Amino acid sequence: MRQRYANLTRIRALDPERDHLAIYQTMLRLEFPWDLKLGLNLAFTRSFAVPAVAAVHVGTGELTERTQKRLDDTGLLMYELVLNGFDDPRGREALRRINQIHRRHAILADHYRYVLACLVVVPTRWLDRYGWRRPCCHERQATHAFYRELGRRMGVDAVPDTYAEFESWFDAYDATHLHPNDDAAAIERATRTLMLTRVPTALSPLGDALVGAVYDGPLRRATRVDDPPLAVRGGLHAALRVRARWQRWFGRPRTVALFTDGIRTRTYPDGYEISRLGPDPGDEATG
């Protein structure tokens, strides 16, 4: 059991402000690879669901007409930042590309803050509920510090100073702005189609209900997704909790980090150029 917490011991020896990148990398690549990837996917789904943000995405057609490419591009740019850091040449190129993509849209500062808050809060809450252990205070602080720094480098000011303050800000913004809207529903339908391809064949008849059960109530309402049957919600919750306990008591710490052999996606099975991720140049000119 002591070996199971070896990464946590190393994390607690670090400074969560100065070493936020190393801590966040360890969380993604070694401690919670599956859960944190799913949590980040849920965070982006939620950030796309706010009416004003959803309208921008539907207007570009990136998420509704080129869904797989758009999701792969978003994931690759984020992973380049996490895996390499902001000061590495690949990290700098990814951040430059992110800023280029967003610069042509009139996006309010609060919308940027909400996306950052989703990336901080939504995955952490998933880990609180379904991770093999709950994130420690160092991990919460490092997660907040990483995305606060991302916001600073994107020119987003007034990001709350602590994880707890950002979580409170997220809840207040969510309650005020996350409303049912047709654009969010259209995006959810497009992304759901891709999610269903990853449901095991034996569970495919329950695919739609399982996807809905992964969402919480506010996200289902915003995207006009029906509440799944109570049996499906309860069964999924129980299965995830059993998985967490099995990992806690019988799992071993990962020794091979996620993405050691690079990142492969459906859109780019043979690799990619960071500068070409996102909308095609012609789309950028008319977006």
Side-chain angles (χ1 to χ4, degrees):
M1 177 61 70
R2 182 180 303 171
Q3 204 177 28
R4 188 72 180 94
Y5 291 87
N7 289 325
L8 177 60
T9 299
R10 286 192 286 271
I11 285 171
R12 285 176 168 166
L14 299 174
D15 183 298
E17 288 293 327
R18 183 190 65 232
D19 304 317
H20 60 264
L21 177 62
I23 293 172
Y24 196 56
Q25 287 174 333
T26 301
M27 293 173 66
L28 175 65
R29 304 185 73 191
L30 293 169
E31 285 291 87
F32 313 105
W34 184 85
D35 292 281
L36 201 47
K37 283 177 65 180
L38 178 59
L40 289 169
N41 286 336
L42 290 173
F44 278 115
T45 299
R46 196 183 201 91
S47 70
F48 298 153
V50 171
V53 177
V56 171
H57 287 296
V58 169
T60 66
E62 288 293 303
L63 273 169
T64 51
E65 299 170 21
R66 296 173 287 277
T67 311
Q68 183 71 66
K69 181 180 184 302
R70 175 60 167 80
L71 295 178
D72 285 347
D73 289 352
T74 298
L76 288 169
L77 288 168
M78 285 304 305
Y79 287 138
E80 286 288 348
L81 287 174
V82 176
L83 298 180
N84 299 298
F86 299 109
D87 296 319
D88 178 270
R90 291 188 68 87
R92 288 200 301 269
E93 188 175 5
L95 183 61
R96 186 182 309 117
R97 185 64 185 134
I98 290 171
N99 284 328
Q100 287 173 348
I101 292 169
H102 290 87
R103 192 174 294 134
R104 70 186 190 276
H105 299 293
I107 301 174
L108 297 178
D110 267 355
H111 295 162
Y112 280 117
R113 290 188 200 100
Y114 182 68
V115 174
L116 292 172
C118 287
L119 294 169
V120 171
V121 176
V122 173
T124 304
R125 287 182 173 175
W126 177 272
L127 292 177
D128 278 335
R129 195 170 190 188
Y130 297 121
W132 68 269
R133 64 170 176 80
R134 299 183 67 187
C136 75
C137 57
H138 274 44
E139 290 166 321
R140 293 173 195 272
Q141 187 175 345
T143 298
H144 169 267
F146 176 84
Y147 287 106
R148 182 188 62 209
E149 180 63 14
L150 173 58
R152 186 184 73 80
R153 292 179 184 241
M154 292 180 67
V156 183
D157 59 4
V159 172
D161 290 331
T162 67
Y163 175 89
E165 290 173 358
F166 212 5
E167 185 176 36
S168 297
W169 185 94
F170 167 81
D171 286 332
Y173 192 91
D174 219 40
T176 303
H177 297 280
L178 190 65
H179 300 310
N181 66 97
D182 292 337
D183 289 332
I187 293 171
E188 195 282 330
R189 285 194 300 271
T191 57
R192 170 185 293 258
T193 300
L194 298 180
M195 291 179 68
L196 290 175
T197 64
R198 305 193 178 196
V199 175
T201 303
L203 296 176
S204 57
L206 296 175
D208 281 314
L210 287 170
V211 172
V214 171
Y215 301 158
D216 63 8
L219 181 56
R220 284 197 296 269
R221 287 190 291 274
T223 54
R224 305 193 190 282
V225 171
D226 293 335
D227 288 339
L230 185 59
V232 174
R233 278 184 283 166
L236 180 63
H237 172 76
L240 290 169
R241 292 302 301 150
V242 168
R243 171 184 172 272
R245 293 192 177 206
W246 188 93
Q247 286 188 319
R248 182 182 309 133
W249 292 104
F250 302 108
R252 296 176 180 273
R254 288 179 61 98
T255 56
V256 178
L258 190 68
F259 303 130
T260 297
D261 298 325
I263 310 173
R264 295 290 181 267
T265 65
R266 295 181 184 182
T267 307
Y268 309 102
D270 300 317
Y272 56 89
E273 294 180 31
I274 295 174
S275 62
R276 299 186 65 84
L277 296 176
D280 293 330
D283 295 331
E284 287 188 35
T286 59

